[in-house]
Amino acid sequence: MNKEDLVTKVRKDTGKTKACVEQVVNAFLVEVMKGLVDDGEVRMYPLGKLKVKERKGRIGTNPNTGEKIEIKAVNQAKFIASSDLKDALNENR
């Protein structure tokens, strides 16, 4: 599902206009990004949480040339699923 699919489904579920739902979805996504930048974590019950995790720098190899290159440390978002989501994903197994 992409953002457009999400907007369409929420519009059908709520009866709100597409413009209204799109505005809310966009605001939600901006606030999630702000939460990660400012606090390092966003909890979204019952889905789980997004958490900022530092990926350490390391030495890698360019596959085309075999040259050693430095890969810098970066922050990235990591999603940790809640037990409710895990149960929902595996209820038919």
Side-chain angles (χ1 to χ4, degrees):
M1 176 185 311
N2 60 31
K3 187 169 88 169
E4 187 65 29
D5 296 336
L6 178 62
V7 168
T8 300
K9 289 178 187 246
V10 171
R11 183 187 61 78
K12 286 179 183 175
D13 290 346
T14 62
K16 302 292 182 187
T17 65
K18 181 179 177 183
C20 177
V21 173
E22 194 164 10
Q23 185 178 16
V24 170
V25 169
N26 287 336
F28 170 78
L29 294 174
V30 166
E31 292 304 319
V32 168
M33 287 174 43
K34 283 182 187 176
L36 286 171
V37 169
D38 295 343
D39 303 329
E41 183 175 289
V42 176
R43 293 173 186 257
M44 296 176 289
Y45 182 81
L47 290 177
K49 66 181 174 181
L50 282 166
K51 191 173 186 178
V52 175
K53 181 152 173 75
E54 182 182 359
R55 187 171 177 184
K56 296 188 185 296
R58 61 194 189 283
I59 301 296
T61 305
N62 181 330
N64 293 329
T65 65
E67 176 186 358
K68 298 286 183 190
I69 56 173
E70 180 184 348
I71 301 171
K72 295 182 180 183
V74 295
N75 288 329
Q76 59 188 134
K78 179 178 181 179
F79 180 74
I80 302 165
S82 70
S83 58
D84 289 347
L85 178 57
K86 290 176 188 176
D87 291 345
L89 293 172
N90 291 297
E91 68 183 22
N92 293 329
R93 290 188 147 218

